[in-house]
């Protein structure tokens, strides 16, 4: 999630991102927060090697949170657009290979944030 200079997510804040899979290429892009409704909705725009929107609708689910993702992007990187008709099966395989690894990394990050000790400022003068 894009964060402002104070580490808070705000509409308009941006972050640089890089996506790599098993194939020998990477996608570089900027993520910009477009809509934020804490606990309910996150929408970001992407700009760079691909442009579009990523939308996550959050809802309670058992003891956790359910997430409905919508990802609408257009690949702009010329070589990938050129090769897409020929290599579409390889790109699809790469996406299926990469996605669970990205999810696992996100889960590790969220667990670490949840268990990280919070600063105690009660004794600060």
């Amino acid at each position: 999630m894009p964060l402002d200079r104070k580490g808070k997510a705000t509409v308009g804040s941006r972050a640089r991102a890089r996506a790599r899979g098993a194939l020998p290429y990477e996608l570089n892009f900027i993520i910009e927060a477009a809509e934020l409704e804490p606990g309910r909705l996150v929408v970001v725009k992407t700009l760079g090697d691909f442009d579009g929107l990523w939308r996550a609708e959050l809802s309670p689910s058992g003891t956790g949170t359910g997430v409905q993702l919508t990802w609408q992007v257009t690949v702009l990187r010329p070589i990938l657009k050129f090769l897409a008709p020929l290599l579409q099966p390889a790109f699809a395989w790469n996406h299926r290979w990469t996605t669970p690894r990205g999810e696992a990394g996100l889960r590790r990050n969220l667990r670490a944030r949840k268990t990280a000790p919070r600063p105690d400022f009660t004794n600060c003068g």
Side-chain angles (χ1 to χ4, degrees), residues 19-77:
R20 289 180 287 196
L23 297 178
Y25 69 89
E26 64 184 30
L27 298 170
N28 295 286
F29 52 100
I30 294 173
I31 301 168
E32 180 180 318
E35 293 181 56
L36 300 171
E37 296 178 31
R40 197 172 102 55
L41 178 68
V42 176
V43 178
V44 297
K45 292 188 272 186
T46 59
L47 312 146
D49 286 340
F50 55 86
D51 283 4
L53 287 175
W54 178 87
R55 178 184 181 92
E57 296 180 53
L58 312 173
S59 60
S61 178
T63 60
T65 302
V67 181
Q68 176 65 44
L69 295 176
T70 306
W71 193 213
Q72 299 171 315
V73 296
T74 301
V75 175
L76 298 178
R77 194 168 185 181

